[in-house]
Amino acid sequence: MRLTSRLPALAAALALPQLALATSIVRGPFLQQTTPTSTIVVVSTDAAAHVEAVADLPGGGTAQAKSDGTHHLLRLSGLPAAATIPFHVTLDGAPAGDGSVRTPAVPGTEAARHAVIGATADTGSAGPNARANVARMELRGVEAVLTMGDNSYPDGAAGEWDTTFFGVWKDLMRSATMWTGVGDHEYRTPFAQPYLDAVELPQGPQGERYYSFDWGDLHVAALDTNCIVPMDASQMGCDTATMVAWLEADLAASKAPWKLVTMHRPALATGKYGVFPEIPRALLGPFEKYGVDLVLQAHNHLYERTWPARQGAVVKKDYDHPGAPVYLTAGGGSDYLYESVLPAAEWTAFRATEYQHLILTLDGGTLLVESVRPDGSLLDKFQIVKDVPPPSADPLTPPAPGDTTTPPPVPEQSVAGPKGAGGGGGCGSGPGGALALGIVGAVLAWTRRGARARRP
């Protein structure tokens, strides 16, 4: 038999082990930390691999990022603001997923006055109601999603997240940027470490536990109320004084017309648990001093809307130029509800023990808030009206020279390997790559021996 006649069989034999050990995506692609000009596409693979993300820019051209390793942070830069940009992901050169990122507008522009954002909490039960709430937000075409904690039940343990979080959000999170908050269930695992490993959020003074961002004319501060009322102070990684000092500096520095806060344990609520008094004592002052408009909270698995309130006292019983924060408990994203143990308070405007999620629609000086059931029917709605400054520039106007808000479209290399770990990857890395190189070497040696035996 000639050597050439053996080559098809050799190729098939070489391919079989590689097919059995083919690398796959286990998490993602999903969107994190989107700004008017960039986003991070996050992908995790079950073995070291080469992953690329390519965004197709309006008018031609692409933004690209690539990574070798198992945990891939693919930062796409040079994106246009207030736009929808499709992207696709390849794994070792093969198509492996796609999505589209919706960038927020540059704050202060006309486009920044408009946004549609989803919000929910306690979805970590991962049952039919949690999934239906998420699916309904996808149908509404939200640009971004806020979560107020308890993203994974029962303990926020490492083995839960693929089912309780990524299994629930996998479709929406490739088209809407996720801005998650941490709840008490995440801290049933020390330091909420699996939560911190699962997401890629902006860094604050105590890691990713609390942070802030702008989405057009909305400024959002995502807090960790476990820092105030810890389950175990030795396993928190944060404290009240540091977080509150950061919050005050953050809110004071923000020039955004609208200010929102998200957090898990509430500052003003009735329901089953009410509030831990340490939380309003720490937070009501900064909220009121720096003009927070809306506080989204959870923990109580129900829905409750307050009148505008200062230090627990009603300011007025409407939302036209309220002059004080409104507190909204939206814990109906779960698959089980809590009946109210505590009676309604003077500041309770409406409450209901129902499954629901929120849709926030910004339109200039009006913020419409809808509480929507999983079937799409409306549970409650109200709108906050306030005076906001006129837009400062046309969003299509090119940035001024030296403006760092629009970096050049240079592909950025993502980090390789999990947080806190070294990199790796590339050709031959990982168990599949090592085996492939070994097989190739053996086959080449065999073919050389066969060829030498047949030489005349």
Side-chain angles (χ1 to χ4, degrees), residues 224-249:
D224 182 351
T225 47
N226 297 280
C227 304
I228 303 172
V229 185
M231 297 179 68
D232 182 343
S234 67
Q235 297 182 346
M236 289 294 107
C238 60
D239 64 274
T240 303
T242 304
M243 184 178 74
V244 172
W246 168 86
L247 174 66
E248 290 187 324

Side-chain angles (χ1 to χ4, degrees), residues 410-422:
V410 178
E412 294 185 38
Q413 182 70 28
S414 71
V415 300
K419 293 181 186 177

Side-chain angles (χ1 to χ4, degrees), residues 193-274:
Q193 193 58 50
Y195 163 77
L196 299 176
D197 292 339
V199 294
E200 299 293 339
L201 300 169
Q203 290 281 340
Q206 295 177 311
E208 301 168 62
R209 303 173 195 280
Y210 51 90
Y211 60 92
S212 67
F213 66 96
D214 288 330
W215 197 271
D217 279 354
L218 289 166
H219 180 76
V220 181
L223 302 184
D224 182 351
T225 47
N226 297 280
C227 304
I228 303 172
V229 185
M231 297 179 68
D232 182 343
S234 67
Q235 297 182 346
M236 289 294 107
C238 60
D239 64 274
T240 303
T242 304
M243 184 178 74
V244 172
W246 168 86
L247 174 66
E248 290 187 324
D250 176 79
L251 294 177
S254 174
K255 305 303 181 186
W258 292 92
K259 295 179 182 179
L260 276 64
V261 168
T262 65
M263 59 193 200
H264 185 66
R265 288 184 170 131
L268 198 64
T270 60
K272 179 180 179 180
Y273 296 121

Side-chain angles (χ1 to χ4, degrees), residues 50-54 64-67 72 74 88-93:
H50 180 76
V51 177
E52 296 190 12
V54 179
Q64 303 179 31
K66 56 187 176 181
S67 167
H72 310 269
L74 303 156
H88 60 272
V89 173
T90 59
L91 173 62
D92 290 333

Side-chain angles (χ1 to χ4, degrees), residues 82-440:
T84 300
I85 305 113
F87 69 88
H88 60 272
V89 173
T90 59
L91 173 62
D92 290 333
D98 54 28
S100 60
V101 57
R102 278 164 283 188
T103 53
V106 175
T109 62
E110 173 60 34
R113 297 160 64 88
H114 308 279
V116 180
I117 296 177
T120 189
D122 303 287
T123 57
S125 53
N129 285 297
R131 294 173 184 273
N133 276 311
V134 172
R136 188 61 57 178
M137 284 188 280
E138 184 176 13
L139 288 174
R140 286 292 295 267
V142 297
E143 305 160 18
V145 174
L146 314 174
T147 78
M148 290 82 76
D150 282 4
N151 302 281
S152 177
Y153 288 135
D155 302 315
E160 298 171 7
W161 286 85
D162 288 338
T163 300
T164 58
F165 182 70
F166 291 99
V168 172
W169 292 97
K170 63 180 181 179
D171 293 329
L172 179 54
M173 67 195 329
R174 65 178 61 200
S175 62
T177 301
M178 300 292 295
W179 300 98
T180 57
V182 60
D184 58 300
H185 277 263
E186 284 87 344
Y187 277 102
R188 293 189 179 186
T189 299
F191 300 100
Q193 193 58 50
Y195 163 77
L196 299 176
D197 292 339
V199 294
E200 299 293 339
L201 300 169
Q203 290 281 340
Q206 295 177 311
E208 301 168 62
R209 303 173 195 280
Y210 51 90
Y211 60 92
S212 67
F213 66 96
D214 288 330
W215 197 271
D217 279 354
L218 289 166
H219 180 76
V220 181
L223 302 184
D224 182 351
T225 47
N226 297 280
C227 304
I228 303 172
V229 185
M231 297 179 68
D232 182 343
S234 67
Q235 297 182 346
M236 289 294 107
C238 60
D239 64 274
T240 303
T242 304
M243 184 178 74
V244 172
W246 168 86
L247 174 66
E248 290 187 324
D250 176 79
L251 294 177
S254 174
K255 305 303 181 186
W258 292 92
K259 295 179 182 179
L260 276 64
V261 168
T262 65
M263 59 193 200
H264 185 66
R265 288 184 170 131
L268 198 64
T270 60
K272 179 180 179 180
Y273 296 121
V275 303
F276 290 90
E278 299 92 334
I279 293 175
R281 188 160 57 240
L283 298 179
L284 293 192
F287 292 169
E288 294 163 10
K289 179 178 180 180
Y290 297 107
V292 170
D293 299 288
L294 181 64
V295 179
L296 304 182
Q297 48 195 22
H299 197 51
N300 292 293
H301 291 198
L302 45 75
Y303 174 77
E304 184 175 29
R305 165 171 54 88
T306 75
W307 295 116
R310 284 184 174 271
Q311 297 299 311
V314 175
V315 171
K316 60 187 303 187
K317 291 194 172 183
D318 64 65
Y319 304 99
D320 187 357
H321 297 77
V326 177
Y327 296 82
L328 206 60
T329 300
S334 179
D335 286 277
Y336 47 91
L337 299 170
Y338 298 157
E339 293 296 331
S340 292
V341 174
L342 300 173
E346 177 191 2
W347 35 257
T348 301
F350 176 78
R351 68 177 185 174
T353 304
E354 293 201 42
Y355 299 113
Q356 51 76 229
H357 60 276
L358 301 176
I359 301 293
L360 312 179
T361 304
L362 178 65
D363 185 12
T366 299
L367 181 63
L368 173 65
V369 182
E370 299 171 89
S371 178
V372 182
R373 298 182 181 93
D375 65 3
S377 62
L378 189 65
L379 172 63
D380 182 42
K381 75 173 181 178
F382 69 103
Q383 63 180 21
I384 301 173
V385 179
K386 63 183 293 187
D387 296 326
V388 298
S392 60
D394 189 309
L396 300 180
T397 301
D403 186 350
T404 58
T405 60
T406 308
V410 178
E412 294 185 38
Q413 182 70 28
S414 71
V415 300
K419 293 181 186 177
C427 181
S429 63
L435 179 60
L437 291 177
I439 294 174
V440 170

